[in-house]
Amino acid sequence: MTGQVAEAPGGTTGTDVLTVGVEEEFLLVDPHTGAAVPAVDLVLEQVPAELRGQVEREFQTSQIEIGSPPGLELSSIRHSLGVLRKALADAAERAGVRLLAIGTGPVDGPVPPVVDKPRFDRMIERFRLLVPGPGNNGMHVHVGVPDPETGVQVLNHVRPWLPTLHAVTTNSPFSRGEDTGYASWRSVEWERWPSVAPTPFLESHEHYQRLIRQLISSGVMLDEGMLYWYARLSAKYPTVELRIGDVCPTVDDAVLVAALVRALVATAMDDVEAGRPALRTDHHLLVGAHWRAAHDGLEGDGVDVTTGELRPAWELLDRFVERLRPALERHGDWAEVSDLLGGLRRHGTGAARQRAVYARTGRLVDVVQDVARQTRG
């Protein structure tokens, strides 16, 4: 993933148009039972050669990951994700399994082994039983920034608004054969790792680097790649990386989140340039807001981090989108985002869709089949 702040049509530069790229993680399951299966190598063998550079293993052998090239237009992100998802779904079926865009496995079964890789072996040796289930599958959105110092300031500005995005992405209500009571059970399992947390308020890029060194020396992390804050500077690319959510069930959902993330980063950069200070939200209030987002999704309440009070989650989302509207319009995304939000309002989050299927049929295998259909698009 390359490319960051880009030149806009018509010749404007700077923060006018930002690149955006998406990484998505998927679960591989048995087509008959819905249980996770350790099939990543079988699926990789079936991926077309021209796409293999955008597909890779993840942490467990029941997971597989794609990455879109960075783009300026939502249409290019939509095209890339659509092509990759369809090719991967076809490859999975040729390998005798199914591809699911789901936060974690809904059906009980054996926990697939971790991918045989020295770094992963070291993680298991140190952290032991923190791998709780068939695979935690998230979505990471990268937005280009001009330099690390600006990136750190952007992290400060975006941190209060991430619980709302968290609620949008909830897509894992079931685990081990039952409803967990959460819209994103993946979030609950993921937080077992000691470096998972809201991003702290940072004084500078040097402060950011110092915290990384201290976390590594304390044993909380093996390396910078284990910095699992909800927003961080990418260790590989000149981007800000937001990594709060479950993988989205459909390409439409993923495009919506990518557009909102880019607009949030662009709005933050505008605030930085204008000298507007970031909202210094208390860390524990953010922890509570993220817990509430994981629990309720958009179908309940969320925490208004400006007051600490509960408000309907959709009310918070509507206010959030209105805040981002100038950046969405500048990127040419407002019309599409408005349309996609209408679809989200009609159909609900991925968690709500899964629960609706289960309410109709009472069978998790039907939930799995519906998620597989949405994944392929």
PDB file of all heavy atoms in Angstrom, residues 241-274:
ATOM      1  N   GLU A 241      -3.494   4.509  10.436  1.00  0.00           N
ATOM      2  CA  GLU A 241      -4.240   3.255  10.293  1.00  0.00           C
ATOM      3  C   GLU A 241      -5.278   3.164  11.406  1.00  0.00           C
ATOM      4  O   GLU A 241      -4.931   3.148  12.582  1.00  0.00           O
ATOM      5  CB  GLU A 241      -3.278   2.074  10.364  1.00  0.00           C
ATOM      6  CG  GLU A 241      -3.953   0.716  10.250  1.00  0.00           C
ATOM      7  CD  GLU A 241      -2.979  -0.431  10.460  1.00  0.00           C
ATOM      8  OE1 GLU A 241      -1.787  -0.180  10.762  1.00  0.00           O
ATOM      9  OE2 GLU A 241      -3.410  -1.586  10.328  1.00  0.00           O
ATOM     10  N   LEU A 242      -6.554   3.095  11.022  1.00  0.00           N
ATOM     11  CA  LEU A 242      -7.636   2.901  11.978  1.00  0.00           C
ATOM     12  C   LEU A 242      -8.065   1.440  11.924  1.00  0.00           C
ATOM     13  O   LEU A 242      -8.361   0.904  10.856  1.00  0.00           O
ATOM     14  CB  LEU A 242      -8.816   3.824  11.660  1.00  0.00           C
ATOM     15  CG  LEU A 242      -8.734   5.224  12.293  1.00  0.00           C
ATOM     16  CD1 LEU A 242      -7.525   5.996  11.753  1.00  0.00           C
ATOM     17  CD2 LEU A 242     -10.007   5.997  12.073  1.00  0.00           C
ATOM     18  N   ARG A 243      -8.103   0.790  13.115  1.00  0.00           N
ATOM     19  CA  ARG A 243      -8.261  -0.663  13.166  1.00  0.00           C
ATOM     20  C   ARG A 243      -9.213  -1.048  14.305  1.00  0.00           C
ATOM     21  O   ARG A 243      -8.903  -1.909  15.132  1.00  0.00           O
ATOM     22  CB  ARG A 243      -6.896  -1.316  13.340  1.00  0.00           C
ATOM     23  CG  ARG A 243      -5.975  -0.612  14.326  1.00  0.00           C
ATOM     24  CD  ARG A 243      -4.573  -1.166  14.359  1.00  0.00           C
ATOM     25  NE  ARG A 243      -4.544  -2.550  14.737  1.00  0.00           N
ATOM     26  CZ  ARG A 243      -4.114  -3.542  13.964  1.00  0.00           C
ATOM     27  NH1 ARG A 243      -3.670  -3.298  12.743  1.00  0.00           N
ATOM     28  NH2 ARG A 243      -4.118  -4.782  14.372  1.00  0.00           N
ATOM     29  N   ILE A 244     -10.367  -0.404  14.337  1.00  0.00           N
ATOM     30  CA  ILE A 244     -11.269  -0.618  15.468  1.00  0.00           C
ATOM     31  C   ILE A 244     -12.326  -1.671  15.220  1.00  0.00           C
ATOM     32  O   ILE A 244     -12.893  -2.201  16.169  1.00  0.00           O
ATOM     33  CB  ILE A 244     -11.993   0.696  15.826  1.00  0.00           C
ATOM     34  CG1 ILE A 244     -12.658   1.282  14.585  1.00  0.00           C
ATOM     35  CG2 ILE A 244     -11.060   1.670  16.472  1.00  0.00           C
ATOM     36  CD1 ILE A 244     -13.672   2.335  14.879  1.00  0.00           C
ATOM     37  N   GLY A 245     -12.660  -1.964  13.960  1.00  0.00           N
ATOM     38  CA  GLY A 245     -13.909  -2.651  13.700  1.00  0.00           C
ATOM     39  C   GLY A 245     -13.798  -4.085  13.265  1.00  0.00           C
ATOM     40  O   GLY A 245     -12.749  -4.568  12.834  1.00  0.00           O
ATOM     41  N   ASP A 246     -14.942  -4.798  13.368  1.00  0.00           N
ATOM     42  CA  ASP A 246     -15.091  -6.095  12.722  1.00  0.00           C
ATOM     43  C   ASP A 246     -14.992  -5.897  11.212  1.00  0.00           C
ATOM     44  O   ASP A 246     -15.324  -4.829  10.686  1.00  0.00           O
ATOM     45  CB  ASP A 246     -16.469  -6.696  13.015  1.00  0.00           C
ATOM     46  CG  ASP A 246     -16.689  -7.011  14.483  1.00  0.00           C
ATOM     47  OD1 ASP A 246     -15.731  -6.939  15.262  1.00  0.00           O
ATOM     48  OD2 ASP A 246     -17.850  -7.327  14.830  1.00  0.00           O
ATOM     49  N   VAL A 247     -14.569  -6.946  10.512  1.00  0.00           N
ATOM     50  CA  VAL A 247     -14.646  -6.904   9.055  1.00  0.00           C
ATOM     51  C   VAL A 247     -16.112  -6.704   8.672  1.00  0.00           C
ATOM     52  O   VAL A 247     -17.024  -7.240   9.308  1.00  0.00           O
ATOM     53  CB  VAL A 247     -14.073  -8.192   8.448  1.00  0.00           C
ATOM     54  CG1 VAL A 247     -14.879  -9.426   8.844  1.00  0.00           C
ATOM     55  CG2 VAL A 247     -13.993  -8.080   6.927  1.00  0.00           C
ATOM     56  N   CYS A 248     -16.355  -5.905   7.656  1.00  0.00           N
ATOM     57  CA  CYS A 248     -17.729  -5.583   7.247  1.00  0.00           C
ATOM     58  C   CYS A 248     -18.331  -6.712   6.414  1.00  0.00           C
ATOM     59  O   CYS A 248     -17.636  -7.354   5.628  1.00  0.00           O
ATOM     60  CB  CYS A 248     -17.741  -4.291   6.445  1.00  0.00           C
ATOM     61  SG  CYS A 248     -17.344  -2.827   7.413  1.00  0.00           S
ATOM     62  N   PRO A 249     -19.649  -6.942   6.527  1.00  0.00           N
ATOM     63  CA  PRO A 249     -20.249  -8.059   5.792  1.00  0.00           C
ATOM     64  C   PRO A 249     -20.263  -7.874   4.280  1.00  0.00           C
ATOM     65  O   PRO A 249     -20.143  -8.858   3.543  1.00  0.00           O
ATOM     66  CB  PRO A 249     -21.673  -8.143   6.355  1.00  0.00           C
ATOM     67  CG  PRO A 249     -21.935  -6.809   6.971  1.00  0.00           C
ATOM     68  CD  PRO A 249     -20.611  -6.303   7.442  1.00  0.00           C
ATOM     69  N   THR A 250     -20.394  -6.634   3.800  1.00  0.00           N
ATOM     70  CA  THR A 250     -20.500  -6.417   2.361  1.00  0.00           C
ATOM     71  C   THR A 250     -19.501  -5.369   1.901  1.00  0.00           C
ATOM     72  O   THR A 250     -18.962  -4.590   2.704  1.00  0.00           O
ATOM     73  CB  THR A 250     -21.917  -5.923   1.977  1.00  0.00           C
ATOM     74  OG1 THR A 250     -22.097  -4.594   2.477  1.00  0.00           O
ATOM     75  CG2 THR A 250     -23.005  -6.827   2.526  1.00  0.00           C
ATOM     76  N   VAL A 251     -19.306  -5.319   0.596  1.00  0.00           N
ATOM     77  CA  VAL A 251     -18.462  -4.281   0.012  1.00  0.00           C
ATOM     78  C   VAL A 251     -19.064  -2.905   0.272  1.00  0.00           C
ATOM     79  O   VAL A 251     -18.346  -1.942   0.568  1.00  0.00           O
ATOM     80  CB  VAL A 251     -18.269  -4.532  -1.497  1.00  0.00           C
ATOM     81  CG1 VAL A 251     -17.613  -3.329  -2.162  1.00  0.00           C
ATOM     82  CG2 VAL A 251     -17.427  -5.776  -1.727  1.00  0.00           C
ATOM     83  N   ASP A 252     -20.384  -2.779   0.181  1.00  0.00           N
ATOM     84  CA  ASP A 252     -21.034  -1.499   0.476  1.00  0.00           C
ATOM     85  C   ASP A 252     -20.661  -1.001   1.868  1.00  0.00           C
ATOM     86  O   ASP A 252     -20.324   0.176   2.058  1.00  0.00           O
ATOM     87  CB  ASP A 252     -22.559  -1.640   0.390  1.00  0.00           C
ATOM     88  CG  ASP A 252     -23.087  -1.406  -1.009  1.00  0.00           C
ATOM     89  OD1 ASP A 252     -22.296  -1.029  -1.900  1.00  0.00           O
ATOM     90  OD2 ASP A 252     -24.301  -1.593  -1.219  1.00  0.00           O
ATOM     91  N   ASP A 253     -20.738  -1.900   2.858  1.00  0.00           N
ATOM     92  CA  ASP A 253     -20.412  -1.516   4.229  1.00  0.00           C
ATOM     93  C   ASP A 253     -18.952  -1.089   4.340  1.00  0.00           C
ATOM     94  O   ASP A 253     -18.620  -0.108   5.020  1.00  0.00           O
ATOM     95  CB  ASP A 253     -20.672  -2.684   5.186  1.00  0.00           C
ATOM     96  CG  ASP A 253     -22.131  -3.080   5.245  1.00  0.00           C
ATOM     97  OD1 ASP A 253     -22.981  -2.198   5.400  1.00  0.00           O
ATOM     98  OD2 ASP A 253     -22.424  -4.289   5.149  1.00  0.00           O
ATOM     99  N   ALA A 254     -18.067  -1.832   3.669  1.00  0.00           N
ATOM    100  CA  ALA A 254     -16.639  -1.508   3.727  1.00  0.00           C
ATOM    101  C   ALA A 254     -16.350  -0.158   3.075  1.00  0.00           C
ATOM    102  O   ALA A 254     -15.538   0.634   3.583  1.00  0.00           O
ATOM    103  CB  ALA A 254     -15.830  -2.611   3.056  1.00  0.00           C
ATOM    104  N   VAL A 255     -16.989   0.122   1.955  1.00  0.00           N
ATOM    105  CA  VAL A 255     -16.791   1.401   1.269  1.00  0.00           C
ATOM    106  C   VAL A 255     -17.291   2.549   2.147  1.00  0.00           C
ATOM    107  O   VAL A 255     -16.653   3.612   2.236  1.00  0.00           O
ATOM    108  CB  VAL A 255     -17.500   1.395  -0.099  1.00  0.00           C
ATOM    109  CG1 VAL A 255     -17.547   2.790  -0.702  1.00  0.00           C
ATOM    110  CG2 VAL A 255     -16.788   0.427  -1.050  1.00  0.00           C
ATOM    111  N   LEU A 256     -18.422   2.355   2.814  1.00  0.00           N
ATOM    112  CA  LEU A 256     -18.941   3.386   3.715  1.00  0.00           C
ATOM    113  C   LEU A 256     -17.931   3.688   4.821  1.00  0.00           C
ATOM    114  O   LEU A 256     -17.620   4.858   5.092  1.00  0.00           O
ATOM    115  CB  LEU A 256     -20.267   2.923   4.322  1.00  0.00           C
ATOM    116  CG  LEU A 256     -20.835   3.810   5.442  1.00  0.00           C
ATOM    117  CD1 LEU A 256     -21.122   5.216   4.953  1.00  0.00           C
ATOM    118  CD2 LEU A 256     -22.095   3.176   6.036  1.00  0.00           C
ATOM    119  N   VAL A 257     -17.403   2.654   5.460  1.00  0.00           N
ATOM    120  CA  VAL A 257     -16.447   2.869   6.551  1.00  0.00           C
ATOM    121  C   VAL A 257     -15.183   3.533   6.020  1.00  0.00           C
ATOM    122  O   VAL A 257     -14.639   4.456   6.644  1.00  0.00           O
ATOM    123  CB  VAL A 257     -16.134   1.541   7.259  1.00  0.00           C
ATOM    124  CG1 VAL A 257     -15.000   1.715   8.265  1.00  0.00           C
ATOM    125  CG2 VAL A 257     -17.380   1.004   7.959  1.00  0.00           C
ATOM    126  N   ALA A 258     -14.700   3.102   4.862  1.00  0.00           N
ATOM    127  CA  ALA A 258     -13.501   3.712   4.288  1.00  0.00           C
ATOM    128  C   ALA A 258     -13.711   5.199   4.027  1.00  0.00           C
ATOM    129  O   ALA A 258     -12.831   6.028   4.304  1.00  0.00           O
ATOM    130  CB  ALA A 258     -13.116   2.997   2.997  1.00  0.00           C
ATOM    131  N   ALA A 259     -14.885   5.555   3.511  1.00  0.00           N
ATOM    132  CA  ALA A 259     -15.179   6.971   3.233  1.00  0.00           C
ATOM    133  C   ALA A 259     -15.243   7.783   4.523  1.00  0.00           C
ATOM    134  O   ALA A 259     -14.724   8.905   4.587  1.00  0.00           O
ATOM    135  CB  ALA A 259     -16.495   7.089   2.468  1.00  0.00           C
ATOM    136  N   LEU A 260     -15.882   7.220   5.550  1.00  0.00           N
ATOM    137  CA  LEU A 260     -15.985   7.937   6.817  1.00  0.00           C
ATOM    138  C   LEU A 260     -14.622   8.100   7.478  1.00  0.00           C
ATOM    139  O   LEU A 260     -14.320   9.162   8.043  1.00  0.00           O
ATOM    140  CB  LEU A 260     -16.945   7.200   7.753  1.00  0.00           C
ATOM    141  CG  LEU A 260     -18.419   7.175   7.326  1.00  0.00           C
ATOM    142  CD1 LEU A 260     -19.239   6.315   8.289  1.00  0.00           C
ATOM    143  CD2 LEU A 260     -18.998   8.578   7.253  1.00  0.00           C
ATOM    144  N   VAL A 261     -13.796   7.072   7.403  1.00  0.00           N
ATOM    145  CA  VAL A 261     -12.463   7.161   8.001  1.00  0.00           C
ATOM    146  C   VAL A 261     -11.635   8.224   7.285  1.00  0.00           C
ATOM    147  O   VAL A 261     -10.966   9.050   7.920  1.00  0.00           O
ATOM    148  CB  VAL A 261     -11.766   5.794   7.968  1.00  0.00           C
ATOM    149  CG1 VAL A 261     -10.284   5.934   8.308  1.00  0.00           C
ATOM    150  CG2 VAL A 261     -12.429   4.823   8.935  1.00  0.00           C
ATOM    151  N   ARG A 262     -11.657   8.207   5.952  1.00  0.00           N
ATOM    152  CA  ARG A 262     -10.893   9.214   5.222  1.00  0.00           C
ATOM    153  C   ARG A 262     -11.373  10.619   5.568  1.00  0.00           C
ATOM    154  O   ARG A 262     -10.568  11.534   5.779  1.00  0.00           O
ATOM    155  CB  ARG A 262     -10.979   8.983   3.712  1.00  0.00           C
ATOM    156  CG  ARG A 262     -10.280  10.098   2.947  1.00  0.00           C
ATOM    157  CD  ARG A 262     -10.030   9.770   1.509  1.00  0.00           C
ATOM    158  NE  ARG A 262     -11.237   9.635   0.710  1.00  0.00           N
ATOM    159  CZ  ARG A 262     -11.234   9.458  -0.613  1.00  0.00           C
ATOM    160  NH1 ARG A 262     -10.078   9.377  -1.256  1.00  0.00           N
ATOM    161  NH2 ARG A 262     -12.371   9.329  -1.275  1.00  0.00           N
ATOM    162  N   ALA A 263     -12.684  10.798   5.635  1.00  0.00           N
ATOM    163  CA  ALA A 263     -13.216  12.122   5.964  1.00  0.00           C
ATOM    164  C   ALA A 263     -12.850  12.530   7.387  1.00  0.00           C
ATOM    165  O   ALA A 263     -12.590  13.708   7.655  1.00  0.00           O
ATOM    166  CB  ALA A 263     -14.733  12.127   5.788  1.00  0.00           C
ATOM    167  N   LEU A 264     -12.808  11.564   8.301  1.00  0.00           N
ATOM    168  CA  LEU A 264     -12.411  11.871   9.677  1.00  0.00           C
ATOM    169  C   LEU A 264     -10.958  12.331   9.732  1.00  0.00           C
ATOM    170  O   LEU A 264     -10.632  13.311  10.404  1.00  0.00           O
ATOM    171  CB  LEU A 264     -12.617  10.639  10.560  1.00  0.00           C
ATOM    172  CG  LEU A 264     -12.176  10.769  12.020  1.00  0.00           C
ATOM    173  CD1 LEU A 264     -12.909  11.915  12.720  1.00  0.00           C
ATOM    174  CD2 LEU A 264     -12.401   9.450  12.756  1.00  0.00           C
ATOM    175  N   VAL A 265     -10.078  11.635   9.015  1.00  0.00           N
ATOM    176  CA  VAL A 265      -8.671  12.029   8.988  1.00  0.00           C
ATOM    177  C   VAL A 265      -8.520  13.393   8.314  1.00  0.00           C
ATOM    178  O   VAL A 265      -7.758  14.250   8.784  1.00  0.00           O
ATOM    179  CB  VAL A 265      -7.822  10.957   8.280  1.00  0.00           C
ATOM    180  CG1 VAL A 265      -6.384  11.449   8.062  1.00  0.00           C
ATOM    181  CG2 VAL A 265      -7.823   9.668   9.086  1.00  0.00           C
ATOM    182  N   ALA A 266      -9.237  13.616   7.219  1.00  0.00           N
ATOM    183  CA  ALA A 266      -9.159  14.908   6.534  1.00  0.00           C
ATOM    184  C   ALA A 266      -9.652  16.040   7.432  1.00  0.00           C
ATOM    185  O   ALA A 266      -9.061  17.129   7.471  1.00  0.00           O
ATOM    186  CB  ALA A 266      -9.979  14.860   5.245  1.00  0.00           C
ATOM    187  N   THR A 267     -10.727  15.792   8.181  1.00  0.00           N
ATOM    188  CA  THR A 267     -11.238  16.797   9.108  1.00  0.00           C
ATOM    189  C   THR A 267     -10.214  17.080  10.204  1.00  0.00           C
ATOM    190  O   THR A 267     -10.000  18.242  10.594  1.00  0.00           O
ATOM    191  CB  THR A 267     -12.565  16.312   9.726  1.00  0.00           C
ATOM    192  OG1 THR A 267     -13.510  16.089   8.678  1.00  0.00           O
ATOM    193  CG2 THR A 267     -13.125  17.335  10.704  1.00  0.00           C
ATOM    194  N   ALA A 268      -9.569  16.028  10.687  1.00  0.00           N
ATOM    195  CA  ALA A 268      -8.527  16.202  11.700  1.00  0.00           C
ATOM    196  C   ALA A 268      -7.374  17.042  11.156  1.00  0.00           C
ATOM    197  O   ALA A 268      -6.848  17.924  11.848  1.00  0.00           O
ATOM    198  CB  ALA A 268      -8.024  14.840  12.167  1.00  0.00           C
ATOM    199  N   MET A 269      -6.976  16.776   9.918  1.00  0.00           N
ATOM    200  CA  MET A 269      -5.883  17.544   9.320  1.00  0.00           C
ATOM    201  C   MET A 269      -6.273  19.001   9.141  1.00  0.00           C
ATOM    202  O   MET A 269      -5.452  19.911   9.330  1.00  0.00           O
ATOM    203  CB  MET A 269      -5.449  16.897   8.009  1.00  0.00           C
ATOM    204  CG  MET A 269      -4.754  15.557   8.213  1.00  0.00           C
ATOM    205  SD  MET A 269      -4.279  14.715   6.674  1.00  0.00           S
ATOM    206  CE  MET A 269      -2.988  15.807   6.085  1.00  0.00           C
ATOM    207  N   ASP A 270      -7.527  19.258   8.804  1.00  0.00           N
ATOM    208  CA  ASP A 270      -8.001  20.644   8.726  1.00  0.00           C
ATOM    209  C   ASP A 270      -7.894  21.320  10.092  1.00  0.00           C
ATOM    210  O   ASP A 270      -7.473  22.486  10.195  1.00  0.00           O
ATOM    211  CB  ASP A 270      -9.457  20.671   8.255  1.00  0.00           C
ATOM    212  CG  ASP A 270      -9.612  20.279   6.796  1.00  0.00           C
ATOM    213  OD1 ASP A 270      -8.604  20.293   6.063  1.00  0.00           O
ATOM    214  OD2 ASP A 270     -10.751  19.936   6.403  1.00  0.00           O
ATOM    215  N   ASP A 271      -8.290  20.594  11.146  1.00  0.00           N
ATOM    216  CA  ASP A 271      -8.230  21.156  12.495  1.00  0.00           C
ATOM    217  C   ASP A 271      -6.782  21.435  12.907  1.00  0.00           C
ATOM    218  O   ASP A 271      -6.485  22.465  13.524  1.00  0.00           O
ATOM    219  CB  ASP A 271      -8.886  20.200  13.492  1.00  0.00           C
ATOM    220  CG  ASP A 271     -10.397  20.159  13.364  1.00  0.00           C
ATOM    221  OD1 ASP A 271     -10.974  21.088  12.774  1.00  0.00           O
ATOM    222  OD2 ASP A 271     -11.001  19.182  13.859  1.00  0.00           O
ATOM    223  N   VAL A 272      -5.893  20.506  12.564  1.00  0.00           N
ATOM    224  CA  VAL A 272      -4.475  20.700  12.891  1.00  0.00           C
ATOM    225  C   VAL A 272      -3.943  21.944  12.187  1.00  0.00           C
ATOM    226  O   VAL A 272      -3.272  22.789  12.791  1.00  0.00           O
ATOM    227  CB  VAL A 272      -3.657  19.451  12.496  1.00  0.00           C
ATOM    228  CG1 VAL A 272      -2.157  19.740  12.593  1.00  0.00           C
ATOM    229  CG2 VAL A 272      -4.027  18.269  13.381  1.00  0.00           C
ATOM    230  N   GLU A 273      -4.243  22.064  10.899  1.00  0.00           N
ATOM    231  CA  GLU A 273      -3.752  23.200  10.121  1.00  0.00           C
ATOM    232  C   GLU A 273      -4.304  24.523  10.652  1.00  0.00           C
ATOM    233  O   GLU A 273      -3.606  25.547  10.649  1.00  0.00           O
ATOM    234  CB  GLU A 273      -4.137  23.019   8.649  1.00  0.00           C
ATOM    235  CG  GLU A 273      -3.556  24.076   7.734  1.00  0.00           C
ATOM    236  CD  GLU A 273      -3.836  23.797   6.262  1.00  0.00           C
ATOM    237  OE1 GLU A 273      -4.315  22.687   5.942  1.00  0.00           O
ATOM    238  OE2 GLU A 273      -3.585  24.693   5.441  1.00  0.00           O
ATOM    239  N   ALA A 274      -5.552  24.495  11.127  1.00  0.00           N
ATOM    240  CA  ALA A 274      -6.185  25.720  11.630  1.00  0.00           C
ATOM    241  C   ALA A 274      -5.803  26.014  13.077  1.00  0.00           C
ATOM    242  O   ALA A 274      -6.217  27.056  13.621  1.00  0.00           O
ATOM    243  CB  ALA A 274      -7.698  25.599  11.507  1.00  0.00           C
TER     244      ALA A 274
END
